[in-house]
């Protein structure tokens, strides 16, 4: 393609970076590649061959696109009823990701997007998915073309089914049965007559809407003016006399005179002069890691990592590999040492010392997903990398902390430049006035 913007030069100004545009190209290519596994495809970028897909079956093609590590664990499903066939592959719940980039649905060989059917797939996974976790799937739906209207959107990506409620229950039940048969879920399914009734359109009730209810992350707040850590601690954990009792040191606010309690493995509570302070341990720890990681990135010199006894080999998906190449230089500055093995297969040789043991591969995939999909407004690359690493390596909700860990968390949080907010703009600390508490009992 040459002189693409000859007649519309104004549109050229709206192009993003080369990496962003390449990701869009790959996203489009993935849909064609997965829709037509019996056709060979090649991708060339900057004058060199980037990927080559040989024709094969559906499982082989999915493994080429998603990565062979994922392809080996996919679960095949094939269900037909009342002239409708649903077949393809879904991943076990433990292969969940932090983005929807590995979700593909095809209707009669064409890619589509349907919120209701996607929601049915999520429901089929039951309680194995938490908020912010997304299953991997590549499913092919075949039915009579007269039962679907494909002309409701110019791109043909959105369609309208005449029997959408019936399809909703077919998707839900098929996914649930497939996972149950594989041992990933308890076996709970509709009997044959009930399912046939649903597919025939005999079920009553309101049409199910495919809304997940997940909220978008708010844009990050502008950085606040740095305050003295001791001044911030005085405002929350008592007056000047408390610091004097402990020698006025850095940890004066969390000395023996002050105690912390953990609530539901998620919140750190403490008494303060005006009432009660509640700290979200995940968001607070993310703020600490964010500012520490950002300082290392801005230092310019790579920080030493921890060498792995057994290097981790990972085969990345197409778009994940492109993101990895874009951010690998930043990853080296915070302690990663990753080399390309062959194609889109990489080997992790060193990790930052504060990464939890056993999460070497997952932390990298989480960082890539967060970097690709989280809304960051005008954040710089270093800020996006720091936020991705911080959120994916911070204390998790439900993680039990010792009293020493809670004291350290509070000490480090109030030493941050912006202790009251997480990198995504959510509040990390809230307080309740004693008068508000008293009013609750009146």
């Amino acid at each position: 393609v040459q002189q693409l913007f000859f007649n519309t030069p104004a549109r050229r100004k709206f192009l993003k970076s080369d990496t962003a545009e390449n990701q869009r190209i790959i996203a489009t290519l993935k849909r064609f590649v997965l829709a037509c596994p019996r056709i060979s495809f090649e991708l060339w970028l900057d004058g060199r061959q980037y990927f080559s897909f040989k024709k094969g079956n559906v499982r082989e093609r999915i493994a080429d696109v998603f990565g062979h590590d994922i392809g080996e664990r996919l679960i095949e499903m094939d269900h037909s009823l009342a002239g409708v066939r649903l077949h393809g592959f879904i991943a076990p719940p433990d292969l969940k990701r932090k983005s929807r980039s590995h979700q593909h649905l095809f209707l009669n060989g064409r890619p589509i997007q349907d919120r209701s059917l996607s929601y049915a797939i999520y429901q089929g996974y039951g309680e194995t998915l938490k908020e912010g976790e997304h299953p991997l799937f590549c499913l092919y739906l075949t039915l009579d073309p007269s039962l679907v209207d494909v002309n409701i959107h110019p791109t043909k990506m959105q369609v309208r089914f005449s029997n959408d409620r019936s399809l909703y229950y077919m998707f839900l039940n098929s996914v649930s049965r497939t996972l149950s048969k594989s041992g990933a879920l308890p076996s709970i399914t509709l009997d044959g007559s009930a399912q046939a009734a649903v597919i025939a359109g005999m079920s009553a009730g309101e049409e199910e809407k495919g809304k997940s209810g997940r909220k978008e992350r708010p844009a990050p707040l502008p950085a606040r003016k740095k305050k003295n850590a001791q001044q911030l601690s005085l405002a929350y954990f008592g007056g000047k006399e408390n610091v004097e009792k402990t020698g006025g040191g850095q940890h004066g606010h969390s000395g023996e005179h002050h105690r912390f309690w953990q609530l539901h493995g998620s919140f750190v509570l403490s008494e303060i002069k005006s009432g009660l302070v509640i700290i979200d341990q995940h968001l607070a720890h993310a703020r600490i890691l964010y500012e520490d990681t950002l300082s290392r990135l801005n230092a310019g010199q790579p920080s030493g990592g921890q060498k792995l006894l057994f290097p981790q080999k990972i085969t990345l998906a197409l778009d994940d590999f492109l993101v990895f190449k874009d951010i690998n230089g930043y990853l080296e500055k915070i302690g990663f040492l990753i080399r390309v093995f062959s194609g889109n297969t990489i080997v992790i040789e060193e990790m930052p010392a504060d990464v939890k043991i056993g999460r070497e591969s997952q932390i990298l995939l989480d960082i890539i997903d967060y970097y690709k999909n989280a809304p960051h407004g005008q954040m710089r690359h270093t800020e996006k990398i720091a936020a991705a690493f911080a959120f994916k390596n911070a204390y998790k909700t439900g993680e039990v902390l010792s009293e020493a860990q809670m004291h350290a968390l509070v000490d480090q949080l109030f030493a941050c430049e912006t202790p009251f907010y997480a990198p995504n703009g959510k509040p990390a600390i809230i307080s309740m006035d004693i008068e508000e508490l008293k009013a609750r009992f009146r």
Side-chain angles (χ1 to χ4, degrees):
V1 179
Q2 295 179 344
Q3 296 184 341
L4 184 62
F5 302 98
F6 176 75
N7 290 324
T8 54
R11 291 187 178 181
R12 188 170 188 173
K13 299 179 181 179
F14 292 91
L15 290 176
K16 305 295 183 181
S17 65
D18 290 346
T19 299
E21 296 300 331
N22 285 340
Q23 288 178 6
R24 293 180 178 180
I25 292 172
I26 289 178
T28 303
L29 175 65
K30 283 171 62 177
R31 292 195 288 267
F32 287 111
V33 167
L34 292 171
C36 308
R38 299 192 180 279
I39 297 178
S40 300
F41 290 86
E42 289 185 355
L43 173 64
W44 292 72
L45 293 175
D46 299 325
R48 70 179 184 88
Q49 188 183 57
Y50 216 66
F51 296 109
S52 177
F53 299 103
K54 298 180 180 179
K55 60 182 179 181
N57 56 42
V58 174
R59 178 183 281 274
E60 292 172 343
R61 179 57 56 84
I62 294 175
D64 288 338
V65 175
F66 285 5
H68 292 281
D69 295 339
I70 295 176
E72 293 174 355
R73 299 193 56 198
L74 292 177
I75 305 171
E76 185 173 8
M77 61 179 285
D78 193 341
H79 299 278
S80 298
L81 198 62
V84 179
R85 184 190 179 199
L86 176 63
H87 66 103
F89 293 87
I90 58 177
D94 62 305
L95 278 182
K96 53 188 175 286
R97 296 293 293 269
K98 299 296 183 179
S99 73
R100 295 182 175 88
S101 60
H102 290 69
Q103 298 180 351
H104 297 275
L105 178 60
F106 299 91
L107 170 64
N108 294 337
R110 298 185 61 134
I112 64 167
Q113 296 175 349
D114 190 281
R115 296 178 65 182
S116 179
L117 297 184
S118 295
Y119 183 66
I121 295 172
Y122 277 77
Q123 292 295 95
Y125 276 81
E127 298 297 322
T128 61
L129 299 175
K130 299 179 182 179
E131 183 177 356
E133 297 177 342
H134 307 283
L136 285 70
F137 60 82
C138 186
L139 297 174
Y140 301 82
L141 178 63
T142 305
L143 50 70
D144 187 343
S146 64
L147 300 177
V148 58
D149 182 3
V150 299
N151 294 312
I152 65 172
H153 195 273
T155 64
K156 313 295 184 183
M157 288 291 290
Q158 298 177 12
V159 298
R160 182 182 290 114
F161 297 100
S162 62
N163 55 344
D164 50 355
R165 183 171 177 82
S166 303
L167 289 173
Y168 173 89
Y169 282 102
M170 181 182 186
F171 270 68
L172 189 157
N173 194 46
S174 298
V175 172
S176 179
R177 280 199 300 166
T178 300
L179 292 174
S180 298
K181 189 179 296 184
S182 69
L185 288 180
S187 180
I188 302 176
T189 58
L190 297 173
D191 57 34
S193 60
Q195 185 179 173
V198 170
I199 297 301
M202 297 172 63
S203 298
E206 294 296 322
E207 182 176 353
E208 190 73 38
K209 297 295 183 181
K211 296 182 179 180
S212 64
R214 295 182 172 89
K215 297 181 179 180
E216 290 291 327
R217 291 183 182 268
L221 297 178
R224 299 190 170 194
K225 185 177 180 180
K226 187 172 182 179
K227 298 181 180 180
N228 183 274
Q230 189 182 97
Q231 292 176 346
L232 291 174
S233 66
L234 286 174
Y236 264 81
F237 296 98
K240 185 176 181 180
E241 64 278 2
N242 285 341
V243 177
E244 292 174 349
K245 289 178 182 179
T246 57
Q250 180 181 357
H251 305 283
H253 64 275
S254 59
E256 293 182 0
H257 69 282
H258 213 91
R259 295 199 59 188
F260 299 95
W261 295 268
Q262 190 178 32
L263 179 65
H264 294 297
S266 303
F267 304 99
V268 176
L269 280 64
S270 183
E271 175 188 359
I272 58 176
K273 190 173 182 179
S274 61
L276 175 70
V277 64
I278 305 173
I279 301 174
D280 186 304
Q281 67 184 45
H282 174 68
L283 297 179
H285 197 208
R287 164 54 63 179
I288 295 167
L289 294 177
Y290 171 77
E291 294 198 4
D292 177 67
T293 304
L294 194 60
S295 66
R296 283 187 281 170
L297 287 170
N298 292 333
Q301 294 294 330
S303 59
Q306 179 175 306
K307 196 171 186 65
L308 299 181
L309 184 60
F310 300 102
Q312 301 284 320
K313 185 186 294 186
I314 311 175
T315 302
L316 299 175
L318 295 176
D319 46 351
D320 290 347
F321 183 73
L322 197 64
V323 173
F324 161 74
K325 292 192 66 178
D326 190 41
I327 67 175
N328 190 31
Y330 299 109
L331 295 176
E332 290 180 355
K333 292 182 180 180
I334 61 176
F336 285 91
L337 180 58
I338 307 172
R339 62 181 178 86
V340 178
F341 183 73
S342 64
N344 56 332
T345 300
I346 61 174
V347 178
I348 304 174
E349 297 182 345
E350 293 184 15
M351 297 286 288
D354 49 359
V355 171
K356 298 171 186 175
I357 298 175
R359 298 201 71 238
E360 295 85 2
S361 300
Q362 190 60 45
I363 190 70
L364 177 63
L365 296 176
D366 287 347
I367 289 173
I368 291 174
D369 283 342
Y370 189 92
Y371 183 88
K372 282 193 305 183
N373 301 286
H376 292 295
Q378 300 300 318
M379 290 182 75
R380 301 189 301 269
H381 286 303
T382 53
E383 293 172 338
K384 292 171 69 175
I385 293 293
F389 178 77
F391 277 111
K392 300 312 173 183
N393 204 40
Y395 291 139
K396 303 303 179 188
T397 298
E399 187 171 345
V400 178
L401 305 182
S402 66
E403 188 164 352
Q405 287 176 307
M406 289 187 281
H407 277 253
L409 179 71
V410 173
D411 288 338
Q412 294 173 28
L413 178 62
F414 279 99
C416 290
E417 181 178 350
T418 312
F420 297 100
Y421 293 89
N424 60 0
K426 291 184 177 181
I429 304 173
I430 63 172
S431 60
M432 296 185 68
D433 189 87
I434 189 65
E435 296 302 324
E436 180 182 351
L437 291 173
K438 289 179 179 179
R440 298 271 182 166
F441 294 95
R442 291 173 185 167

